Amino acid sequence: FGPGYADAIARKDPIAYMAALDELRMRKLGPQMAYCFKNEYYNAKMREAGITDPRDIRTIDEFRALPAFLTKALHRESQGQSLEKYGHPFGMHLCAPVEDVIHVAGTSGTTGLPTFYLFTRKDLELTYLTIGRVFEMIGLRRGDSILQLFGLSIWVAGTTMVQAAEAYGARPIPLGAEAGVTKALQYIEACRPRVLFATPSMVSHLIARAPEQLGRPLNTMGIEVILVGGEPGMAIPAYRRRLQEGTGAKVFDSSSGAWTNATVECGGPDHQGLHYMAEDYCFRYDLVDPETRKPLPLVDGQVGEAIHTGLEYEAAPALRYATGDILKLNVGECPHCGRFGSRFHFVGRADDLMNIAGVKVYPTAIKEVVETFSPDISGQMQIVLDRPLPSVTPPVRMTIEAASALPESSWDDLARKIEAKVHLLLKVRLKAQIVAAGSLATSNLKTKLVHVLPGQEAKA
């Protein structure tokens, strides 16, 4: 990192800290841009931005002023072009020889061609290194049994995470979310893992089903550490408490894997943001204004859309990749653990922003208000729209499960209270429908908060 980095941390100086990181980033960005310039996709993108020699980008401000070179849509388009031109689906932006790609992860591809994340040997080793820092943060120990309940399909949180845990010296049991809640509880009873990896939804299902299936609550099973990710909600106090109390474990939110990105929070009673664990290998929070696309000052409290760049990545690097994630940056000392550095919160996704009669609201903001009605609700809910985002005609229709102990005679009153509180806090009109616990379709994988029904009127 250089002496300036350690000195900034010792003095707890946010400005000096970011300056030291900028120096490090530029030291690595020169070789990385030169490497990517040899690739036909990135060469064309740089030339479109007026770059004829990547060495002309000499400052971090010059780099941050460049346009995005990749988006989710461009990523998929690049993959389609490479399949047609070269016979592989790994993208025109694949910078390493295809025979050097030894590991593939990505999205599930439910809406078309999967988005692939590729790893050379070096990429995989750096991924193990940065995710290993996450494991160290949560207190994972060598020899710990981990029940891996993230989906074992192509997600980075699947096989990639299992391999990272093995490289760390732990003992992952790769059951996967696909096995279902019943099988997961059987494995918890049989294997007595100290650690779980799972989505918050899966953990919620385990809490609900354990008393019936195991004959006792999940918080008596000896689980000490749970690493969750893949869904919003852990920053919502009521939801967070439900998972902490229901498991008896320290629950850590995280987001890690692609392009040596690695983040984790410190597991306190309140969510203090995701600590960034890979400053030396990935520039994750290069924030821009979502509308003007202009770079924003990287200071404490800043909110913007993230541009993602891997600083040493080989296979198919993220170089100025507009992720669509809206982040809130914190720079300074963590109120819970005291660690000095950068943290961020996921605010939402740029393409999830709802424009409700001129009021702009992220779905997670509505979920956060509804969660304050715990324990009268089960935690399962859906915003149901009859047309794609962003424009939403009020009232916003929302289906919310009641807690199993709440009598049906109280449902209408609960719905009106929820509607009133959402309107008071967010200035949004909501039409809430309360249904019985277990009514909503659930998934052991990632659970979608917003459901769009094209061509249909959403049910009241």
Side-chain angles (χ1 to χ4, degrees):
F1 281 99
Y5 177 82
D7 180 65
I9 292 176
R11 293 189 290 110
K12 298 183 178 180
D13 185 335
I15 296 175
Y17 176 79
M18 295 305 292
L21 287 178
D22 285 345
E23 189 276 330
L24 170 68
R25 289 165 184 149
M26 282 312 301
R27 197 167 3 112
K28 294 197 172 190
L29 278 170
Q32 185 70 0
M33 288 188 68
Y35 172 71
C36 292
F37 195 72
K38 298 174 186 177
N39 168 265
E40 57 187 303
Y41 176 90
Y42 279 125
N43 184 286
K45 289 297 181 182
M46 289 190 211
R47 290 186 182 278
E48 287 174 12
I51 302 171
T52 57
D53 186 335
R55 290 174 295 185
D56 291 340
I57 303 299
R58 295 186 174 91
T59 70
I60 196 68
D61 289 339
E62 291 174 346
F63 176 76
R64 296 191 63 217
L66 294 172
F69 294 155
L70 265 178
T71 63
K72 287 285 187 183
L74 288 174
H75 191 156
R76 291 191 174 96
E77 182 181 311
S78 172
Q79 291 182 168
Q81 290 172 351
S82 72
L83 183 61
E84 182 177 343
K85 185 173 182 179
Y86 295 119
H88 68 72
F90 300 138
M92 300 296 291
H93 60 292
L94 175 62
C95 294
V98 68
E99 58 268 23
D100 288 349
V101 175
I102 64 168
H103 184 76
V104 179
T107 65
S108 58
T110 55
T111 57
L113 186 68
T115 301
F116 291 116
Y117 306 118
L118 311 172
F119 302 75
T120 64
R121 175 70 61 188
K122 175 185 174 181
D123 299 334
L124 206 52
E125 289 174 352
L126 290 182
T127 298
Y128 295 162
L129 171 67
T130 54
I131 293 181
R133 294 171 180 172
V134 169
F135 294 158
E136 184 177 4
M137 185 80 158
I138 69 175
L140 184 64
R141 303 186 301 232
R142 184 178 182 276
D144 274 345
S145 285
I146 306 164
L147 187 57
Q148 157 63 303
L149 295 176
F150 284 124
L152 279 176
S153 182
I154 200 167
W155 292 281
V156 174
T159 305
T160 313
M161 188 71 82
V162 168
Q163 293 178 349
E166 291 171 343
Y168 188 81
R171 184 172 49 255
I173 302 168
L175 182 63
E178 299 87 345
V181 175
T182 297
K183 184 68 70 174
L185 288 169
Q186 290 174 352
Y187 271 64
I188 288 172
E189 187 171 41
C191 301
R192 300 301 169 97
R194 178 175 176 263
V195 181
L196 294 185
F197 291 171
T199 63
S201 293
M202 170 57 96
V203 176
S204 184
H205 296 332
L206 294 173
I207 292 169
R209 294 269 294 279
E212 176 186 354
Q213 184 171 329
L214 302 180
R216 53 178 168 152
L218 190 65
N219 59 16
T220 65
M221 298 302 297
I223 300 165
E224 297 180 23
V225 174
I226 302 179
L227 185 71
V228 300
E231 295 174 358
M234 282 304 295
I236 300 173
Y239 190 64
R240 185 179 183 83
R241 280 196 305 274
R242 186 184 306 133
L243 266 58
Q244 290 171 330
E245 295 171 2
T247 62
K250 292 190 73 173
V251 184
F252 297 84
D253 195 11
S254 69
S255 172
S256 301
W259 305 298
T260 52
N261 173 48
T263 72
V264 66
E265 49 121 352
C266 50
D270 301 307
H271 200 303
Q272 300 295 343
L274 295 165
H275 288 267
Y276 197 57
M277 311 300 289
E279 297 279 25
D280 44 347
Y281 294 111
C282 185
F283 190 7
R284 180 66 178 90
Y285 50 82
D286 182 356
L287 302 182
V288 301
D289 185 294
E291 295 181 359
T292 68
R293 315 307 296 171
K294 299 297 184 183
L296 298 168
L298 300 183
V299 296
D300 187 61
Q302 187 64 264
V303 177
E305 182 181 346
I307 306 292
H308 194 149
T309 297
L311 299 176
E312 291 190 30
Y313 215 79
E314 290 185 335
L319 180 66
R320 299 205 59 75
Y321 194 130
T323 64
D325 294 326
I326 306 296
L327 306 181
K328 178 181 179 181
L329 177 65
N330 291 114
V331 185
E333 188 174 41
C334 175
H336 174 63
C337 71
R339 181 188 178 99
F340 184 91
S342 62
R343 293 168 284 125
F344 54 77
H345 297 264
F346 283 98
V347 176
R349 286 194 51 80
D351 53 4
D352 280 349
L353 185 64
M354 300 190 300
N355 188 336
I356 308 167
V359 179
K360 295 182 178 181
V361 176
Y362 287 102
T364 49
I366 297 178
K367 177 180 173 70
E368 184 170 351
V369 176
V370 176
E371 281 286 354
T372 64
F373 288 88
S374 178
D376 288 339
I377 60 173
S378 76
Q380 296 296 326
M381 62 192 78
Q382 295 175 356
I383 294 172
V384 184
L385 307 178
D386 58 10
R387 67 190 67 181
L389 295 170
S391 180
V392 177
T393 302
V396 179
R397 288 170 165 78
M398 191 167 193
T399 306
I400 303 159
E401 280 190 2
S404 57
L406 188 72
E408 188 172 353
S409 58
S410 301
W411 290 2
D412 284 344
D413 182 57
L414 176 61
R416 304 295 84 77
K417 287 179 179 177
I418 290 173
E419 292 167 357
K421 191 167 185 179
V422 168
H423 188 263
L424 175 66
L425 297 180
L426 301 178
K427 310 305 178 189
V428 167
R429 287 198 296 122
L430 189 73
K431 178 62 177 176
Q433 179 186 15
I434 308 300
V435 297
S439 298
L440 294 177
T442 60
S443 171
N444 301 325
L445 306 175
K446 292 184 179 182
T447 298
K448 293 182 65 176
L449 178 58
V450 177
H451 291 252
V452 180
L453 305 174
Q456 301 181 41
E457 291 296 324
K459 296 180 180 181

